[in-house]
Amino acid sequence: MKKWKYLTMTAVMGSALMLGACGSDSAQNGNNAETNAPADSGQDTADKKLQGAVAGDGSSTVAPIIEAVVEEYAGTQPNVKVSVGVSGTGGGFEKFIAGETDFSNASRHIKDEEKAKLEKAGIAFTELPLAYDGISVVVNPENDWAKDLTVEQLKKIWVEDGKPKKWSDIDPSWPDEKIVYYSPGTDSGTYDYFDEVILDGADLASSATLSEDDNMLVQGVAGDKNAIGFFGYAYYQENKDKLGIVNVNGIEPTNKTIESGEYAPLSRPLFVYVKNSAMKESEASYDFIKFTLEHAGEMAEAVGYVSLPEDEYSKALKTLEGLK
């Protein structure tokens, strides 16, 4: 898989993408970005060169899609500076609420308390879908026992029960070795989603190494025979030569099973939340988000996620147009 580099983009293309770690004007959705966008479509718009700045933050899971979009966008609008942090879905919403960003990338729906804070701050927002993801449970390649886990087994593995847990505690035929855990951080939408559908709100194993940087999780699992972790499908795809994938309830995460929802309950949509006022007042912001929606499907597939049906992108573009 092609790996886009932020520093290269900044130096060569003039767009900056800075990584950190995965109410509305007419609806209620949120994030902030500053970019200038053409108000109409067609050849005149395509030839129009904009200037401005767009700022975003949020999910490390969504980051590979946006990273690819930013690189492509720099080729069409080199005078627009796009900066995107990756502090996790929750961290991104915090910055969105504080008015620091124009858009926010999210691997879960916005929470009611986040909506309330945005309303209090006077920030109207709109949720726009980007792609599908399947949270991938991974183990070390030398792990030849935990290849297919049920949801109940995953819960038993990951829920904190007050004592060190061994693989043999899950199945007596498995090794009498302590389980080593790697998990997204608590600001991550991936963490929140896993907590909701697997842990049922119970505490995650207290010995887990938490990080907003999914590449650190990859390295941790790849380096320990007794390790287990989870993160977005694209990070597994990029590192499948050094990781083992776990089937969940007998289903392997693939483009087909993720899109169909068969890979349940770990299939999920990915989003970008936009600040309505930025879409209305900043031509650059509107143009960048429009470009993102027009290319999200292609970029999602390129970096290892699953594109939405084409009509979903058409609906999202129509929604965005209504914010102008």
Side-chain angles (χ1 to χ4, degrees):
M1 181 194 325
K2 181 178 179 183
K3 181 70 177 174
W4 284 271
K5 299 294 185 182
Y6 298 99
L7 293 179
T8 300
M9 286 193 300
T10 303
V12 179
M13 296 184 176
S15 277
L17 180 61
M18 298 168 289
L19 288 179
C22 251
S24 81
D25 281 344
S26 53
Q28 219 175 325
N29 318 23
N31 192 340
N32 70 30
E34 308 159 16
T35 11
N36 297 318
D40 53 350
S41 57
Q43 189 60 40
D44 289 344
T45 297
D47 292 340
K48 184 176 181 181
K49 296 302 179 185
L50 303 173
Q51 292 187 357
V54 185
D57 205 291
S59 168
S60 62
T61 301
V62 179
I65 300 174
I66 299 301
E67 179 184 357
V69 169
V70 169
E71 180 173 349
E72 293 298 314
Y73 186 71
T76 65
Q77 297 292 355
N79 298 323
V80 175
K81 179 182 178 181
V82 183
S83 60
V84 185
V86 185
S87 56
T89 298
F93 278 134
E94 288 177 8
K95 294 184 179 182
F96 196 59
I97 292 163
E100 298 174 13
T101 54
D102 303 308
F103 68 90
S104 201
N105 302 316
S107 58
R108 58 162 170 79
H109 288 287
I110 190 169
K111 296 178 179 179
D112 288 342
E113 55 265 37
E114 291 164 337
K115 289 181 182 179
K117 289 178 181 178
L118 282 165
E119 184 175 2
K120 185 176 180 180
I123 298 173
F125 64 92
T126 299
E127 176 191 275
L128 300 169
L130 287 180
Y132 293 122
D133 175 37
I135 295 177
S136 299
V137 180
V138 296
V139 292
N140 186 278
E142 293 184 52
N143 182 326
D144 58 4
W145 58 90
K147 292 297 188 181
D148 194 328
L149 298 171
T150 65
V151 169
E152 283 305 310
Q153 284 176 316
L154 281 173
K155 185 173 182 179
K156 189 174 181 181
I157 289 170
W158 283 97
V159 168
E160 174 60 41
D161 62 5
K163 58 184 179 181
K165 208 172 297 186
K166 298 180 179 180
W167 285 108
S168 56
D169 294 328
I170 312 304
D171 185 316
S173 67
W174 292 353
D176 188 33
E177 299 286 346
K178 287 183 182 179
I179 302 172
V180 179
Y181 304 90
Y182 288 90
S183 165
T186 54
D187 272 342
S188 167
T190 302
Y191 178 100
D192 289 337
Y193 194 89
F194 194 83
D195 177 61
E196 178 183 344
V197 302
I198 300 297
L199 306 182
D200 288 331
D203 291 337
L204 187 86
S206 60
S207 63
T209 296
L210 306 180
S211 177
E212 307 297 343
D213 183 352
D214 292 316
N215 291 305
M216 178 179 173
L217 305 180
V218 168
Q219 293 168 14
V221 175
D224 194 317
K225 182 178 180 178
N226 290 299
I228 186 170
F230 62 93
F231 37 71
Y233 184 58
Y235 287 95
Y236 163 68
Q237 288 283 81
E238 185 178 349
N239 296 281
K240 58 185 177 183
D241 58 328
K242 48 190 172 186
L243 296 170
I245 193 70
V246 175
N247 293 352
V248 177
N249 287 342
I251 305 298
E252 179 182 353
T254 65
N255 283 35
K256 183 178 179 181
T257 61
I258 290 169
E259 182 177 1
S260 68
E262 184 182 3
Y263 181 63
L266 293 177
S267 294
R268 58 174 178 168
L270 304 175
F271 307 99
V272 60
Y273 285 78
V274 299
K275 183 194 291 185
N276 292 358
S277 61
M279 298 304 101
K280 185 178 180 66
E281 298 165 8
S282 168
E283 192 177 4
S285 295
Y286 177 89
D287 191 57
F288 175 71
I289 296 299
K290 180 173 180 285
F291 186 91
T292 297
L293 293 175
E294 289 171 341
H295 295 83
E298 174 190 355
M299 296 305 173
E301 295 286 343
V303 300
Y305 291 119
V306 181
S307 63
L308 302 172
E310 199 55 45
D311 65 328
E312 291 297 312
Y313 293 116
S314 297
K315 289 177 186 176
L317 283 164
K318 202 166 185 180
T319 298
L320 179 66
E321 186 178 2
L323 301 177
K324 290 196 312 184

